[in-house]
């Protein structure tokens, strides 16, 4: 709808609206007797004017939510042209609501509800209609709450919803909310200190089924914890005990799952059903048992939590999907943008970011469908991406490249950048595209056109590169790896094949892959990818609406998801996303998630002091410009519930200066649900302990859920010097990179480096890893500082002794003990000897002969040291 059409459409309705208001005033005056006496009473007050207003969407920048509460009948809020839509006002305090006036523009609601809420999350309907006629509606209602919204479910026209004014009348200081009857714990994530067996999980106490139960081990103390999703005002807890009850226990609340406050305590519990009136606030509630009433453990049929509905979470702004605010560091170009403007911006960004590997700047450069002429030379923390449904919808005549001239041709520090969803046509007379990168630099969903062309994965003729990813990509010509030390290619198509090998090249589901030949050359070839979902991506549809496409799961796949085919998957309007700007608190982010929103993080460093909690199945969390979430004050950065189909993509997680127990947790401890048909997946998710400042985290990523897919991850601890970067064995401290406790977890393209104990610990059954790159910590000061009991050092990849099935393909582990070259690692891979635990194609390297790896796997394989720097082993056992 053009601005001209808007102005024409509104002219007659402005007259109607003023006539309606005038008639209403005149009618009230006519029906009020002159000098009539009425009982004295407090008149309802207009509470909404000038208050903060939010909406599910806006038609354009000229029709914001605030226009409906500004007292100006010449301005309006208008929504997108879809159902449902809502407009919400925060009154600032709880109020008793007696009247709501809706002054509709021509685009009105035929079916809508008026709703109140104390927390902006749980709503009570105080008025409902399916026969709305628009105009001015003065509606008498009875209700109370801090928040009031119009929730439209069916539009009366082909346009959106549009209100000149949204007026809420009432009196502040409403009555204290009563304790709610609903059980907010039911279905929420639950964890426990222990379980008696697999049939008595923590989740059984919050499933609403009084025939299932949680039971603990037979020892003291034990606890059961439930995550309510946001901070709640808790007024009653009901414990339905099985015979094994608690004689002494406390009920405790917490905002972060770490620091607890006791809101109830007893030492004379009698079991049975206990309905306990309490007063407390918290996101987490737990029963903490200190003395059992029987010789058995603790056992609860159900744990129910009731609240007044109050939370501390703020309201959440809606997103206009046609004109979203993607932050100040996102640059969107369309074909009408002058070529000189585009190139100037690209040059400025590269100059700033070429060497800026530890600065806070983050950038995304996005191209709408069309054809462009541009030379895109990517520096640190810069993402370039097309906004088409197919890479071929955006063609750059020029280059999308990464060079290593800033390090004299050495690309081993070219990290943290991305090229996605574009096609590239090289300039006439040029046949080489250079992508000289190492970790965390995906070349994903790309198309390099021209069978005569080649892409070089190193700087060409000089220097080294050390590990990267090609995924869902078509190269019409030849891929040349040169001095690239290791590389993972997945579900791609190479028109003229691949040439080159150093230590560890892995090809999976690749059309045009070389023949398998490990170790000479070191090509590991896996014909198909058993189950994978490609990374979600932002695009603009044919109407100009921003949407996110979520590719479908593929099974036993080869080749790309898009070339000469229609991608399978689903599309989500950006109106369903909360766009996270730098400075947004975790509380606001969690409030958006609690309202059913997906998340889009804008480029920048986002600081959190409590976990971002993703509780809803199928939630999409997508970052632009390698957006970074930093865990401050020892917090966990993100927790994902044990639910189906969460997708987290394009983000970096960074440790703060106070130690965090873990940066990201997928599924709480004890997770056991199957997600085989709809797994959670992590795409281009990177982790950093130290770098721009001292960083500390005991664990980095812990996967407790079953069936999780990892699609390209780099977990990294800063352990060697760079300009101005604090490093040291006792400064950047981190025990473990990846811990997998869930079953049937699959990792594609896994990079884990420099941790102080095990790099990767795998405790779940049925795990699979396709391509693994590891460097051991550079900085153990001596052997005594790096001992695992009586064993020298810690393995790079540890499969627990209890595991009965595991597979891994194409693994490399390297030592460079430059602080003390006398340090020895006993073995790189430590696994149970079992015919169903199989490792295929491994390499260990003593880089430059600095340090020793005594064995490849268990007690098999040779020694990598100064005399024999590279050792291969093809199978174990």
């Amino acid at each position: 709808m053009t601005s001209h059409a808007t102005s024409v459409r509104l002219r007659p309705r402005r007259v109607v609206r003023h006539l309606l208001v005038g008639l209403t005033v005149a009618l009230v005056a006519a029906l009020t007797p002159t000098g009539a006496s009425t009982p004295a009473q407090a008149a309802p007050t207009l509470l909404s004017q000038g208050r903060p207003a939010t909406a599910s969407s806006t038609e354009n920048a000229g029709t914001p939510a605030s226009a409906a509460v500004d007292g100006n009948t010449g301005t309006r809020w208008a929504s997108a042209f879809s159902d449902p839509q809502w407009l919400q006002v925060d009154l600032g305090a709880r109020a008793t609501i007696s009247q709501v006036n809706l002054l509709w523009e021509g685009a009105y609601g035929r079916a809508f509800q008026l709703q109140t809420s104390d927390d902006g999350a749980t709503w009570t309907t105080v008025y409902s209609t399916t026969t709305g006629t628009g105009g001015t509606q003065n509606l008498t209602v009875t209700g109370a709450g801090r928040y009031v919204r119009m929730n439209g479910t069916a539009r009366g026209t082909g346009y959106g919803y549009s209100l000149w004014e949204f007026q809420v009348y009432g009196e502040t200081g409403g009555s204290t909310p009563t304790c709610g009857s609903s059980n907010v714990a039911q279905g929420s994530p639950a964890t426990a200190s222990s379980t008696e067996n697999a049939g008595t999980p923590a989740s059984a106490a919050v499933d609403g089924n009084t025939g299932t139960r949680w039971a603990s081990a037979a020892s003291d103390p034990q606890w059961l914890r439930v995550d309510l999703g946001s901070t709640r005002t808790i007024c009653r807890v009901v414990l339905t005990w099985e015979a094994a009850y608690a004689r002494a226990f406390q009920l405790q609340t917490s905002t972060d799952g770490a620091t607890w406050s006791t809101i109830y305590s007893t030492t004379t519990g009698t079991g049975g059903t206990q309905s306990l009136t309490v007063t407390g606030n918290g996101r987490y509630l737990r029963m903490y048992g200190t003395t059992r009433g029987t010789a058995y453990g603790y056992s609860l049929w159900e744990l129910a939590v009731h609240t007044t509905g109050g939370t501390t979470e703020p309201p959440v702004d809606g997103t206009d999907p046609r004109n979203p605010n993607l932050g100040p560091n996102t640059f969107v170009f369309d074909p009408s943008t002058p070529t000189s403007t585009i190139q100037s911006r690209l040059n400025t960004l590269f100059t700033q970011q070429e060497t800026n590997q530890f600065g806070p700047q983050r950038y995304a450069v996005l191209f709408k469908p069309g054809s462009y002429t541009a030379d895109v030379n990517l520096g640190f923390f810069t993402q370039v991406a097309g906004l088409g449904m197919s890479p071929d919808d955006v063609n750059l005549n020029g280059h999308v490249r990464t060079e290593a001239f800033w390090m004299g041709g050495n690309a081993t520090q070219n990290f943290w950048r991305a090229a996605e969803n574009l096609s590239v046509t090289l300039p006439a007379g040029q046949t080489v595209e250079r992508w000289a990168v190492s970790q965390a630099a995906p070349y994903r969903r790309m198309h390099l056109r021209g069978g005569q062309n080649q892409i070089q994965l190193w700087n060409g003729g000089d220097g080294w590169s050390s590990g990267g990813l090609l995924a869902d990509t078509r190269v019409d010509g030849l891929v040349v790896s040169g001095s690239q030390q290791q590389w993972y290619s997945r579900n791609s198509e190479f028109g003229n094949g691949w040439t080159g090998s150093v230590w560890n090249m892995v090809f999976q589901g690749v059309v045009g892959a070389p023949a398998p030949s490990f170790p000479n050359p070191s090509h590991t070839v896996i014909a198909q990818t058993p189950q994978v979902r490609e990374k979600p991506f932002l695009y603009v549809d044919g109407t100009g609406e921003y949407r996110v496409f979520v590719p479908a799961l593929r099974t036993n796949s080869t080749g790309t998801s898009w070339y000469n085919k229609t991608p399978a998957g689903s599309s989500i309007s950006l109106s369903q996303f909360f766009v996270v700007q730098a400075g947004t608190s975790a509380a606001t982010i969690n409030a958006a998630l609690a309202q059913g929103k997906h998340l889009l993080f804008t480029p920048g460093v986002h600081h959190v002091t409590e976990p971002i909690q993703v509780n809803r199945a199928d939630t999409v969390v997508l970052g632009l410009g390698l957006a970074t979430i930093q865990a401050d004050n020892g917090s966990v950065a993100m927790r994902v519930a044990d639910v189906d189909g969460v997708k987290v993509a394009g983000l970096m997680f960074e440790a703060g200066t106070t130690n965090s127990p873990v940066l990201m947790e997928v599924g709480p401890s004890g997770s056991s649900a199957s997600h085989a048909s709809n797994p959670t997946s992590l795409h281009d998710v990177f982790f950093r302990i130290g770098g721009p400042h001292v960083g500390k985290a005991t664990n980095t990523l812990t996967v407790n859920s079953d069936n999780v897919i990892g699609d390209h991850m780099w977990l990294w601890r800063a352990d060697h010097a760079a300009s101005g970067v604090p490093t040291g064995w006792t400064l950047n401290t981190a025990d473990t990179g990846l811990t997998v406790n869930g079953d049937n977890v699959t990792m594609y393209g896994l990079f884990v480096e420099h941790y102080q104990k095990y790099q990767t610990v795998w405790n779940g059954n049925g795990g699979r890893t396709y391509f693994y790159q590891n460097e051991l910590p550079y900085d153990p000061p001596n052997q005594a500082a790096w001992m695992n009991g009586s064993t020298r050092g810690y393995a790079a990849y540890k499969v627990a002794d209890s595991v009965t099935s595991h597979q891994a393909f194409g693994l490399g582990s390297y030592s460079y003990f430059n602080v003390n070259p006398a340090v020895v690692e006993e073995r790189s891979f430590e696994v149970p000897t079992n015919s169903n635990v199989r490792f295929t194609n491994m390499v260990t390297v003593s880089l430059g002969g600095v340090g020793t790896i005594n064995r490849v796997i268990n007690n098999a394989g040779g020694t990598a040291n100064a005399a024999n720097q590279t050792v291969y082993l093809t199978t174990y056992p």
Side-chain angles (χ1 to χ4, degrees):
M1 187 169 63
T2 66
S3 58
H4 174 72
T6 302
S7 63
V8 171
R9 181 168 67 87
L10 295 184
R11 282 178 188 141
R13 292 190 172 90
R14 285 179 179 155
V15 175
V16 172
R17 179 178 55 79
H18 288 303
L19 285 173
L20 285 169
V21 174
L23 288 171
T24 301
V25 173
L27 183 60
V28 171
L31 294 178
T32 304
T34 302
S37 175
T38 59
Q41 59 183 2
T45 302
L46 177 58
L47 304 174
S48 54
Q49 190 163 308
R51 298 300 308 169
T54 55
S56 54
S57 66
T58 56
E59 181 181 355
N60 56 56
T63 57
S66 59
V69 293
D70 62 2
N72 182 351
T73 55
T75 63
R76 65 187 178 96
W77 163 69
S79 78
F81 302 172
S82 61
D83 291 307
Q85 302 287 342
W86 52 262
L87 175 73
Q88 170 183 317
V89 62
D90 177 5
L91 304 179
R94 183 175 169 84
T96 300
I97 312 302
S98 56
Q99 182 172 317
V100 176
N101 294 346
L102 302 171
L103 281 67
W104 293 103
E105 191 259 345
Y108 65 97
R110 175 167 288 118
F112 65 92
Q113 300 91 45
L114 298 178
Q115 299 174 317
T116 62
S117 174
D118 288 309
D119 60 2
T122 303
W123 295 90
T124 300
T125 298
V126 297
Y127 175 85
S128 181
T129 184
T130 59
T131 56
T133 56
T136 296
Q137 295 181 267
N138 301 323
L139 304 172
T140 299
V141 298
T142 300
R146 172 175 172 171
Y147 304 91
V148 182
R149 76 174 177 184
M150 185 288 298
N151 185 48
T153 55
R155 291 163 291 145
T157 71
Y159 300 105
Y161 297 81
S162 183
L163 282 164
W164 295 107
E165 286 292 294
F166 180 53
Q167 299 173 333
V168 178
Y169 289 82
E171 298 177 48
T172 57
S175 58
T176 302
T178 58
C179 196
S181 59
S182 62
N183 174 16
V184 298
Q186 187 168 319
S188 296
T191 54
S193 53
S194 66
T195 56
E196 181 181 358
N197 55 56
T200 57
S203 58
V206 293
D207 61 1
N209 182 353
T210 55
T212 63
R213 66 188 177 96
W214 162 70
S216 78
S219 61
D220 292 310
Q222 301 288 341
W223 52 263
L224 175 73
R225 181 182 82 174
V226 61
D227 178 359
L228 305 178
S230 60
T231 302
R232 300 278 186 154
T233 301
I234 299 168
C235 52
R236 185 170 61 253
V237 176
V238 181
L239 302 169
T240 306
W241 293 102
E242 193 255 353
Y245 67 97
R247 176 167 287 117
F249 67 94
Q250 297 94 48
L251 297 178
Q252 300 173 323
T253 61
S254 174
T255 58
D256 59 4
T259 303
W260 295 90
S261 299
T262 298
I263 60 173
Y264 174 85
S265 180
T266 185
T267 58
T268 57
T270 56
T273 298
Q274 295 181 266
S275 181
L276 305 172
T277 300
V278 296
T279 300
N281 293 284
R283 173 174 178 161
Y284 303 89
L285 180 133
R286 74 176 177 184
M287 185 290 299
Y288 187 80
T290 55
T291 306
R292 290 164 289 142
T294 72
Y296 299 101
Y298 299 82
S299 183
L300 281 164
W301 295 109
E302 284 295 300
L303 167 68
V305 179
H306 300 264
T307 69
T308 61
T311 79
T312 63
E313 319 303 359
V316 175
D317 292 333
T319 299
D320 180 354
R322 297 180 182 279
N323 186 33
N325 178 6
L326 300 180
N329 297 329
T330 299
F331 303 97
V332 180
F333 299 125
D334 62 47
S336 68
T337 309
T339 297
S340 60
T341 299
I342 296 172
Q343 195 60 55
S344 176
R345 173 61 63 186
L346 293 169
N347 293 345
T348 298
L349 291 179
F350 177 70
T351 299
Q352 176 183 307
Q353 297 300 108
E354 182 182 12
T355 64
N356 191 18
Q357 61 179 316
F358 295 114
Q361 293 80 10
R362 306 286 187 271
Y363 297 101
V365 180
L366 309 178
F367 291 87
K368 290 184 177 181
S371 184
Y372 303 81
T373 298
D375 178 14
V376 183
N377 193 359
L378 286 177
F380 284 98
F381 290 107
T382 308
Q383 175 197 30
V384 60
L387 291 173
M389 258 300 290
S390 166
D392 289 341
D393 291 340
V394 179
N395 183 61
L396 292 186
N397 296 288
H399 294 278
V400 174
R401 60 192 173 100
T402 292
E403 313 277 6
F405 299 125
W406 71 284
M407 284 192 69
N410 184 341
T412 56
Q413 290 190 41
N414 273 2
F415 311 139
W416 302 310
R417 62 201 74 197
E420 302 179 62
N421 202 30
L422 293 160
S423 66
V424 180
T425 302
L426 298 182
Q430 298 185 31
T431 60
V432 173
E433 186 75 298
R434 192 163 290 130
W435 189 253
V437 298
S438 292
Q439 291 78 29
Y443 194 83
R444 184 187 286 274
R445 198 178 170 84
M446 294 288 287
H447 185 188
L448 182 59
R449 298 174 182 261
Q452 77 282 3
N453 296 326
Q454 62 175 253
I455 184 170
Q456 296 182 351
L457 304 181
W458 89 115
N459 216 57
D462 54 357
W464 292 94
S465 301
S466 186
L469 171 85
L470 283 168
D472 204 21
T473 284
R474 178 171 174 84
V475 176
D476 290 349
L478 178 68
V479 183
V480 184
S481 63
S483 63
Q484 179 65 245
Q485 293 167 336
Q486 54 264 309
W487 194 272
Y488 179 60
S489 302
R490 182 185 59 71
N491 287 92
S492 294
E493 301 171 13
F494 304 152
N496 286 334
W498 170 290
T499 182
S501 170
V502 177
W503 292 327
N504 185 29
M505 307 300 183
V506 177
F507 308 83
Q508 185 165 19
V510 173
V511 177
S517 54
F518 190 92
N520 187 25
S522 58
H523 293 161
T524 299
V525 181
I526 301 131
Q528 295 180 322
T529 304
Q531 186 185 57
V532 76
R533 173 190 291 123
E534 297 297 341
K535 180 182 177 181
F537 60 90
L538 184 67
Y539 76 103
V540 177
D541 71 10
T543 71
E545 181 178 11
Y546 283 78
R547 304 181 70 87
V548 171
F549 188 76
V550 182
L553 277 177
R554 293 200 292 164
T555 302
N556 298 327
S557 59
T558 60
T560 70
S561 67
W562 56 270
Y563 185 72
N564 284 339
K565 63 192 77 169
T566 300
S570 58
S571 178
I572 307 171
S573 170
L574 209 62
S575 66
Q576 303 304 306
F577 281 74
F578 176 58
V579 179
V580 184
Q581 307 290 342
T584 304
S585 69
T588 300
I589 295 168
N590 285 328
L593 289 166
Q595 293 178 21
K597 296 289 188 182
H598 306 277
L599 301 178
L600 180 70
F601 282 83
T602 59
V605 178
H606 302 263
H607 294 263
V608 298
T609 55
E610 64 178 280
I612 297 169
Q613 182 68 54
V614 183
N615 290 332
R616 183 173 55 88
D618 297 313
T619 300
V620 176
V621 181
L622 179 63
L624 295 178
L626 290 92
T628 300
I629 300 173
Q630 181 172 313
D632 292 331
N633 298 341
S635 69
V636 176
M638 181 176 288
R639 285 193 170 109
V640 179
D642 190 28
V643 295
D644 277 357
V646 173
K647 298 91 180 172
V648 180
L651 289 171
M652 173 180 275
F653 292 89
E654 188 160 85
T657 56
T658 301
N659 187 73
S660 294
V662 65
L663 293 186
M664 182 182 187
E665 183 180 67
V666 181
S669 177
S671 295
S672 59
S674 173
H675 309 290
S677 62
N678 187 14
T680 284
S681 52
L682 312 179
H683 312 265
D684 297 341
V685 178
F686 311 129
F687 299 84
R688 187 164 71 178
I689 312 292
H693 49 71
V694 168
K696 299 177 183 291
T698 305
N699 298 293
T700 301
L701 169 63
T702 299
V703 177
N704 294 313
S705 288
D706 295 346
N707 310 106
V708 172
I709 294 173
D711 172 28
H712 188 220
M713 295 188 296
W714 186 34
L715 293 73
W716 181 77
R717 169 185 164 261
D719 67 343
H720 46 286
S723 178
V725 176
T727 58
W729 187 250
T730 60
L731 291 179
N732 299 320
T733 55
D735 285 354
T736 305
L738 172 65
T739 303
V740 178
N741 297 319
D743 292 339
N744 303 311
V745 170
T746 303
M747 294 288 164
Y748 300 105
L750 176 60
F751 302 72
V752 186
E753 299 192 299
H754 305 300
Y755 288 87
Q756 294 176 295
K757 292 185 179 179
Y758 291 121
Q759 311 294 301
T760 295
V761 177
W762 209 294
N763 298 316
N765 277 311
R768 295 176 295 187
T769 294
Y770 299 94
F771 182 88
Y772 184 72
Q773 179 182 318
N774 163 256
E775 281 188 354
L776 299 165
Y778 284 12
D779 57 343
N782 50 58
Q783 191 70 63
W786 199 49
M787 291 291 292
N788 181 12
S790 60
T791 301
R792 293 178 294 183
Y794 289 81
Y797 194 111
K798 166 69 174 177
V799 179
D801 295 343
S802 59
V803 170
T804 58
S805 58
H806 190 92
Q807 296 181 69
F809 303 83
L811 304 98
S813 177
Y814 315 121
S815 71
Y816 187 69
F817 300 129
N818 65 332
V819 173
N820 188 335
V823 169
V824 177
E825 183 198 35
E826 192 60 43
R827 60 187 64 90
S828 281
F829 307 104
E830 187 173 301
V831 308
T833 300
N834 182 314
S835 60
N836 291 320
V837 177
R838 301 198 62 84
F839 277 58
T840 302
N841 294 355
M842 295 157 278
V843 58
T844 59
V845 182
S846 174
L847 297 171
V850 180
T852 298
I853 300 174
N854 192 44
R855 291 288 182 264
V856 176
I857 182 167
N858 291 354
N859 293 320
T863 300
N865 55 21
N868 185 29
Q869 295 184 15
T870 305
V871 176
Y872 293 102
L873 187 65
T874 57
T875 58
Y876 186 89

